[in-house]
């Protein structure tokens, strides 16, 4: 299975420019080839899901080059305290405000 995926990746990235985002069949997952350094190219996975409008959430997503990086991000993202911090930031910035802005009668 891994060899099949490797061959598909090699074929898909043949002739692709450096930093060009190549979509995959996995929603929000892209492949990106970096410029050659010392004659060696690196292929990264970019994680950048779509928002409710179908556009990418960020201009640039999260770039990963190996499973260890992914495991460390998963560990951090699963921390319950992270959700507490983000909710606090939403409250501070007023993201969750349900107050309606009333029209000014002039």
């Amino acid at each position: 299975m891994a060899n099949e995926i490797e061959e598909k990746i090699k074929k898909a990235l043949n002739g692709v420019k450096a930093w060009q985002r190549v979509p995959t069949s996995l929603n929000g997952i892209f492949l990106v080839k970096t410029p050659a350094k010392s004659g060696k190219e690196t292929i990264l996975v970019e994680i950048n899901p779509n928002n409710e409008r179908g556009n990418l959430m960020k201009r640039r997503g999260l770039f990963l080059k190996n499973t260890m990086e992914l495991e460390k991000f998963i560990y951090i993202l699963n921390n319950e305290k992270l959700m507490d911090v983000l909710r606090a930031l939403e409250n501070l910035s007023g993201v969750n405000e349900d107050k309606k802005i009333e029209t000014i009668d002039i």
Side-chain angles (χ1 to χ4, degrees):
M1 178 83 149
N3 284 341
E4 182 181 332
I5 294 172
E6 289 174 19
E7 289 303 317
K8 286 181 180 181
I9 291 171
K10 285 179 188 176
K11 185 177 177 181
L13 295 179
N14 187 24
V16 171
K17 295 177 185 174
W19 299 111
Q20 185 175 348
R21 184 183 284 142
V22 178
T24 70
S25 59
L26 302 172
N27 189 20
I29 306 294
F30 302 89
L31 298 178
V32 178
K33 184 167 63 172
T34 64
K37 194 175 198 179
S38 302
K40 189 174 182 181
E41 292 176 334
T42 302
I43 300 169
L44 303 174
V45 170
E46 179 185 7
I47 302 172
N48 197 353
N50 294 333
N51 62 19
E52 56 280 350
R53 294 183 190 148
N55 300 322
L56 295 178
M57 290 187 78
K58 299 285 185 181
R59 194 170 118 178
R60 287 285 178 199
L62 173 64
F63 288 92
L64 302 171
K65 62 181 172 183
N66 57 48
T67 55
M68 186 230 10
E69 289 179 352
L70 176 60
E71 289 168 355
K72 289 188 177 208
F73 274 102
I74 289 171
Y75 177 77
I76 291 169
L77 293 171
N78 283 324
N79 186 332
E80 291 180 31
K81 291 288 187 181
L82 176 59
M83 289 299 276
D84 294 340
V85 170
L86 288 171
R87 284 186 185 108
L89 290 175
E90 287 175 348
N91 289 336
L92 288 171
S93 66
V95 171
N96 284 336
E97 277 187 30
D98 289 336
K99 294 180 182 177
K100 301 237 178 190
I101 298 175
E102 294 184 25
T103 304
I104 300 172
D105 188 19
I106 300 180

